[in-house]
Amino acid sequence: MPTTNALSPSLVLTLAFATALALQLLVQLWLNTRQVRHVAQHRDQVPGTFANHISLAAHQKAADYTLAKARLGLAHMAWGALILLGWTLLGGLNALQTALLQFMAPGMAQQLVLLAAFALISGLLDLPFSLYQTFVLEARFGFNKSTPAIWLGDLLKSTVLAAVIGLPIAWVILWFMGAAGSLWWLWAWGIWTGFQLLLMWIFPTFIAPWFNKFEPLADETLKARVTRLMQRCGFAAKGLFVMDGSRRSAHANAYFTGFGASKRVVFYDTLLQQLNADEVEAVLAHELGHFKHKHITKRMLGMFALSLAGFAVLGWLSQQVWFFTGLGVTPSTAMVFGQPAYDNALALLLFMLAMPVFTFWASPLLAHFSRRDEFEADAYAMQQAQGSALASALLKLYEDNASTLTPDPVYARYYYSHPPAVERLARMPAPATPQSASAA
């Protein structure tokens, strides 16, 4: 009887990767098309829930901004998929490795140069979209405040930070991959976890001030009010700071940063310009709700658990020839500890490139849990501050940030980390109308 040859593991991976990427692109295209159509259909009328608070002009600006971002996102998505194919199945990563080996002997230095060259080329390929996003799209809607000098300075600083911070941690992980035996991934995960915690601790003091100015909150009345709120909530912070967010963008925000004793509360200057004291207190109470429900801790533990699983999978894949050949790379055949020691930097890059394609389908689950946390934080904020002030603050932020009030429901379920405005405000007391607010 004739026999049929089973597909090789390498070919199976190639087919699985290509199929998963094609399905991802189709789903993204379908979701973005739904979003564009839904927002465009509701552009000319403010939803009844918001009719007394949002003008038609503001609603249409938000719709146009959302449509412009969605269309740019489609182009960026297609470009990203083409670049991904170029690096993998079309042999780009293999060609880069071969070119470097013509000038450098195999070893740690060559692997670090490979990582750096990949990061540099990838950044350059994405540069047109970054420039367009900042200086065309954001500028068209009045949000961009950055200048070419500021933008270039940020780029240079980010590059220096990536080299100063990224290369040493890459060196440590590569060293473990080559010297710590079959359980190298467990040691590497421990180092990676410690590194993440260290970054959280040093970011507010050493990294963030390199990009923005942080001044202590000068409004003593607001400072006293915020301090009382934090005391009621059992939250201790190292300080209250105002960041010059308006130097780069008109978007507003507030956040907690730091770890342990280095925690800080940071307000964008744009936020303080847009909201009154009641609204600022309500927004901060929402952020404190995340602290009270331990959302940050849970997310951090979840991230560490997922990274442990990722390192374990990488530990196995890095020793499989088909993992390399199935993604367009010809590995070396050197031996370490009696086992094939394929190019470790290549394994890291291939894993980083391939995994998002296979984990894309987890996006709606992660978004669901994030929206649930936002509802819990809102409920806590309404216990600690005025619910109507939180609703009023959200309306102002939706308007000032040109966030659409009419997203496609399916798109929102898949992507939105925060509940759509209509769902969120439905759980809050009605804010005062602008006329009522001015009369008060």
Side-chain angles (χ1 to χ4, degrees):
M1 295 179 61
T3 58
T4 56
N5 294 325
L7 294 178
S8 68
S10 174
L11 182 57
V12 169
L13 176 58
T14 299
L15 293 174
F17 178 74
T19 302
L21 179 58
L23 289 174
Q24 176 183 332
L25 287 172
L26 287 173
V27 170
Q28 288 177 319
L29 176 62
W30 175 66
L31 289 170
N32 274 38
T33 301
R34 287 185 60 100
Q35 173 78 337
V36 167
R37 183 170 59 246
H38 194 275
V39 172
Q41 287 175 346
H42 294 83
R43 179 185 181 275
D44 295 327
Q45 184 175 358
V46 180
T49 306
F50 309 102
N52 293 328
H53 307 278
I54 303 294
S55 67
L56 178 60
H59 175 67
Q60 291 179 330
K61 176 185 177 181
D64 293 341
Y65 181 54
T66 300
L67 294 174
K69 289 194 298 180
R71 289 165 182 146
L72 178 63
L74 282 172
H76 199 186
M77 174 190 68
W79 178 245
L82 182 62
I83 297 302
L84 178 58
L85 283 175
W87 280 123
T88 54
L89 302 186
L90 297 180
L93 199 55
N94 194 64
L96 180 60
Q97 169 82 333
T98 301
L100 289 177
L101 287 175
Q102 293 178 353
F103 300 97
M104 303 179 67
M108 180 64 75
Q110 184 270 330
Q111 293 188 77
L112 290 174
V113 170
L114 175 64
L115 294 176
F118 170 83
L120 179 61
I121 294 171
S122 296
L124 290 174
L125 291 172
D126 199 57
L127 205 57
F129 288 92
S130 177
L131 287 167
Y132 185 89
Q133 171 82 24
T134 300
F135 293 107
V136 179
L137 195 152
E138 292 290 311
R140 187 199 313 168
F141 290 94
F143 291 124
N144 178 53
K145 304 299 179 184
S146 184
T147 64
I150 293 175
W151 184 90
L152 183 59
D154 287 344
L155 179 63
L156 293 175
K157 291 174 185 177
S158 299
T159 303
V160 171
L161 277 176
V164 171
I165 296 175
L167 288 177
I169 190 65
W171 181 89
V172 171
I173 291 176
L174 290 171
W175 183 86
F176 274 114
M177 292 179 77
S182 61
L183 291 179
W184 70 264
W185 55 270
L186 189 57
W187 293 99
W189 173 78
I191 294 296
W192 175 258
T193 301
F195 171 71
Q196 294 296 315
L197 293 173
L198 177 64
L199 273 184
M200 292 175 63
W201 181 64
I202 67 174
F203 177 82
T205 307
F206 300 102
I207 297 178
W210 209 27
F211 293 87
N212 290 94
K213 292 181 179 179
F214 294 83
E215 301 288 345
L217 180 61
D219 187 332
E220 292 297 331
T221 302
L222 181 60
K223 183 177 179 180
R225 186 169 183 169
V226 166
T227 301
R228 289 194 298 270
L229 171 65
M230 291 192 299
Q231 289 173 345
R232 291 199 306 271
C233 298
F235 183 86
K238 190 175 182 179
L240 305 173
F241 294 88
V242 179
M243 189 187 86
D244 61 339
S246 59
R247 186 165 176 253
R248 291 176 176 81
S249 174
H251 292 299
N253 198 5
Y255 65 92
F256 293 129
T257 184
F259 183 72
S262 69
K263 291 196 297 289
R264 292 183 175 192
V265 177
V266 177
F267 301 100
Y268 281 37
D269 54 358
T270 47
L271 182 86
L272 298 182
Q273 293 165 8
Q274 294 169 5
L275 304 185
N276 61 39
D278 289 340
E279 293 163 344
V280 170
E281 181 183 44
V283 168
L284 183 58
H286 169 89
E287 299 301 327
L288 289 169
H290 288 304
F291 160 76
K292 190 67 175 181
H293 287 288
K294 297 182 171 55
H295 293 156
I296 306 301
T297 301
K298 292 174 183 176
R299 290 178 190 178
M300 186 170 61
L301 293 176
M303 179 188 70
F304 292 157
L306 290 174
S307 65
L308 176 60
F311 271 105
V313 172
L314 176 59
W316 175 64
L317 290 175
S318 63
Q319 297 301 313
Q320 311 302 318
V321 177
W322 54 263
F323 173 63
F324 294 84
T325 56
L327 293 174
V329 169
T330 303
S332 67
T333 56
M335 301 293 289
V336 174
F337 299 111
Q339 296 182 353
Y342 304 117
D343 306 85
N344 293 325
L346 282 173
L348 287 175
L349 291 175
L350 287 175
F351 187 77
M352 179 188 70
L353 288 168
M355 284 309 295
V357 175
F358 294 105
T359 57
F360 166 75
W361 313 102
S363 297
L365 182 62
L366 298 176
H368 166 76
F369 288 126
S370 178
R371 291 193 300 270
R372 182 195 63 184
D373 290 349
E374 294 302 323
F375 279 132
E376 288 184 351
D378 282 345
Y380 182 81
M382 288 185 286
Q383 295 172 1
Q384 302 296 330
Q386 300 176 31
S388 59
L390 179 61
S392 175
L394 289 175
L395 280 169
K396 287 183 179 180
L397 292 176
Y398 279 121
E399 180 175 1
D400 291 334
N401 292 325
S403 300
T404 182
L405 302 174
T406 57
D408 175 69
V410 178
Y411 183 94
R413 287 291 177 270
Y414 206 100
Y415 285 121
Y416 273 31
S417 61
H418 287 61
V422 66
E423 296 180 17
R424 202 170 178 186
L425 293 172
R427 304 190 181 197
M428 300 178 188
T433 62
Q435 293 82 4
S436 300
S438 60

